[in-house]
Amino acid sequence: MERTGKVVEEATGLVKQAGDALNEIATLVDDTAGQVTVIATASEEQSSTSEEINRSIDGVNRISKQSSDAMRQSSAAISDLASQSQVLLP
């Protein structure tokens, strides 16, 4: 009888340890889930920001191309004016 009581006492202690371990695991899982949510949110924000940066870069590229085209046209017009002024000046 005494041995049975000791076995039950040991088993009860092991069950308590297992319960404590399971509670700790559940807490860690909850913490990890929270961290995954934070990472997912940050990834979405980063993706959105990257898309916005890409749109801005596209806009800068368009403006740069327009400026380059305008400079070529201005250069051609200046050349034409220089040629015409040579004709007008003796």
Side-chain angles (χ1 to χ4, degrees):
M1 234 15 207
E2 188 175 312
R3 185 167 173 7
T4 304
K6 198 170 198 179
V7 169
V8 168
E9 199 174 299
E10 286 177 13
T12 302
L14 291 173
V15 168
K16 183 182 180 323
Q17 286 178 353
D20 291 345
L22 287 174
N23 283 334
E24 187 174 340
I25 290 169
T27 299
L28 291 172
V29 167
D30 286 344
D31 291 347
T32 302
Q35 291 171 352
V36 168
T37 300
V38 168
I39 290 169
T41 300
S43 293
E44 288 175 10
E45 290 173 359
Q46 184 179 21
S47 176
S48 175
T49 301
S50 293
E51 289 173 8
E52 187 174 329
I53 289 170
N54 284 337
R55 284 191 298 273
S56 294
I57 289 171
D58 287 343
V60 169
N61 283 339
R62 273 193 310 278
I63 291 170
S64 178
K65 186 177 182 312
Q66 290 170 351
S67 294
S68 177
D69 292 344
M71 290 298 285
R72 270 191 237 106
Q73 290 173 357
S74 294
S75 179
I78 289 170
S79 270
D80 286 346
L81 285 174
S83 294
Q84 290 175 11
S85 69
Q86 290 297 326
V87 170
L88 294 175
L89 296 174

